[in-house]
Amino acid sequence: MSRHPLNAWTVNISLAAFTLILFIASIYIGRGGELLTDKFALISETDRDIAWLVLTEIRLPRALLGLLVGATLGLTGAGLQGLLRNPLAEPGLIGASGGAALGAVLVFYSGLAAGTAMFVPVGGILGALAALAVLYLLAGRNPSIVTIILAGVAISAFTGALTSLALNLSPSPYAALEIVFWMLGSLTDRSMVQVWFVLPFMGVGWLLVVSTYRALDALALGEDTASTLGFSMRSVTARAIIGTGLAVGAAVSVTGVIGFVGLVVPHLMRPLVGQRPASLLLPSALGGAALVLAADILVRIPVNGPELKIGVVTSLVGAPFFLWLILRTRREAP
C-alpha cells in the first residue's frame, strides 16, 4: 500500500479495469485492427461449435498468455528491484530467462519440436530449472545479493553463448530461422494445452514472490535492519529467486523472450503508488499484463507483410527507456 490507501485502491482497480478491456480487445481484434464480433456472429449462425472452437482454441489462449506472461514479468521485475535494491534489475538478471531460452532452442535444434509443440515449453521449463540449480551451486549456501547478481550474469552470458552456438551449428537454415523467430517472442499459434502446462509453474512462482512483500519493505532500510526485524535474508532471497525463476522460466518457455517489461513497468508504476516495494507488486503485475496485451494488439495493426514479433515491440519501447534510466541514475548519483 502507498501512503494513501484509497489512492492505491484506485490505481489497482483502474489498472485491473484497463487490463480487462485490453484482454477482451485482444480476443476480438484481428489482423489490421479488424473487429471480429461480426465474423463470430456469422460463424455462429452456421455452426456454433466451430465458432466456440475458434474462440477457445485460437483467440482465448493468445489473450490468456498475454495476461499471464505480462503479469509474471511485471511482478517479478518489481520483486527483484525491491530485493536487490537496484532500479536496473529485471527478471533476466538471474539467468532463468536465458536457461529457458536455451532449453527451448535445444528442443528445436534436436528436432523434437517436430513431434509435438509441447516439447518446446517442457524444454524451456527444464532449462530454467537447470539455470536456477547452477545459480545456487555458484552462489553457495548463504549467498549475498552481489554474489547472486554475478552468478546470474555469468549464467545469462553462458546460456546466450550456447544458444548462439546452437544457431551456428544448426543443421538446416530453416531450423535456424525457426529458432530465431521463436526467440523474438510471440503469442501466436499457442493453445490452451500450453496455457494449462505453464500456469502451475507461474502460480507457484507468483506465490513465492508475493510472500516476500513485508521483507521487501524492510529491505528498503538495509539488510541489517531487515534481519533485526526478524526476516531471514536467506529465506527471503531463496523465495524471491526461485519464484522468479519458475514464473519467468515458464513464461519464456512458451512465448520466447519478451524483454524490458520487467524493467520498465515498475518504474512506470512508482509515481502512482509510491516507493514502497510491497505496494508496487500488484500494480506492476497489472501494468505488465496491460503492456503485453497492448503490444500484442499493436503487432496486428499492419495489414501487409508478416506480423511483428511482440518481443521486438517491447524492446523498441524498453531500450530507449533503459538508456534514459541509466542517464537519470547517473545524474542522481552523488
Side-chain angles (χ1 to χ4, degrees):
M1 297 177 66
S2 66
R3 293 181 180 178
H4 303 286
L6 181 61
N7 290 339
W9 277 105
T10 301
V11 168
N12 289 327
I13 292 173
S14 299
L15 284 171
F18 183 54
T19 302
L20 179 61
I21 292 171
L22 289 173
F23 177 77
I24 296 172
S26 179
I27 294 176
Y28 288 104
I29 292 179
R31 192 67 189 272
E34 178 187 8
L35 283 175
L36 302 178
T37 50
D38 292 338
K39 287 188 176 181
F40 274 120
L42 183 62
I43 296 174
S44 296
E45 292 177 0
T46 305
D47 192 327
R48 289 190 176 184
D49 291 337
I50 293 178
W52 180 252
L53 187 65
V54 171
L55 178 65
T56 57
E57 294 299 326
I58 298 177
R59 307 302 306 179
L60 186 60
R62 181 169 184 168
L64 280 174
L65 281 176
L67 182 74
L68 296 174
V69 171
T72 290
L73 296 175
L75 174 67
T76 55
L80 281 183
Q81 288 179 16
L83 175 72
L84 304 178
R85 301 184 298 285
N86 186 337
L88 302 181
E90 53 94 23
L93 188 64
I94 62 173
S97 297
L102 176 62
V105 164
L106 290 178
V107 171
F108 284 113
Y109 182 81
S110 64
L112 291 174
T116 173
M118 283 306 299
F119 280 131
V120 176
V122 169
I125 290 291
L126 293 176
L129 294 175
L132 284 177
V134 173
L135 176 71
Y136 271 91
L137 285 175
L138 291 176
R141 297 185 60 183
N142 192 20
S144 66
I145 297 298
V146 174
T147 304
I148 290 174
I149 293 175
L150 293 176
V153 170
I155 293 170
S156 295
F158 187 62
T159 54
L162 290 178
T163 301
S164 299
L165 180 64
L167 279 170
N168 189 62
L169 298 178
S170 178
S172 165
Y174 298 104
L177 189 62
E178 187 177 18
I179 292 172
V180 170
F181 278 164
W182 180 86
M183 290 181 63
L184 292 177
S186 177
L187 301 175
T188 59
D189 301 324
R190 305 310 192 258
S191 69
M192 287 302 298
V193 175
Q194 291 166 307
V195 173
W196 290 119
F197 176 76
V198 299
L199 187 57
F201 295 96
M202 288 183 177
V204 172
W206 296 342
L207 290 175
L208 288 172
V209 173
V210 170
S211 70
T212 66
Y213 76 101
R214 290 183 178 176
L216 294 181
D217 278 349
L219 269 173
L221 303 174
E223 289 188 33
D224 293 337
T225 302
S227 299
T228 302
L229 292 174
F231 295 104
S232 169
M233 289 308 303
R234 182 176 179 181
S235 172
V236 171
T237 302
R239 280 180 282 153
I241 297 299
I242 294 173
T244 297
L246 286 175
V248 173
V252 172
S253 72
V254 77
T255 63
V257 180
I258 300 177
F260 289 101
V261 175
L263 172 67
V264 170
V265 170
H267 289 281
L268 294 177
M269 296 298 108
R270 279 194 183 91
L272 302 177
V273 298
Q275 298 296 321
R276 287 181 55 195
S279 68
L280 195 61
L281 296 179
L282 179 56
S284 293
L286 294 171
L291 178 59
V292 172
L293 286 169
D296 189 45
I297 293 171
L298 182 63
V299 301
R300 310 174 201 175
I301 300 303
V303 177
N304 299 318
E307 185 177 287
L308 289 174
K309 299 297 182 181
I310 190 171
V312 175
V313 174
T314 57
S315 295
L316 286 173
V317 173
F321 182 87
F322 184 67
L323 293 175
W324 171 82
L325 185 62
I326 292 175
L327 293 174
R328 191 187 72 171
T329 303
R330 190 179 67 178
R331 286 197 302 267
E332 293 176 354

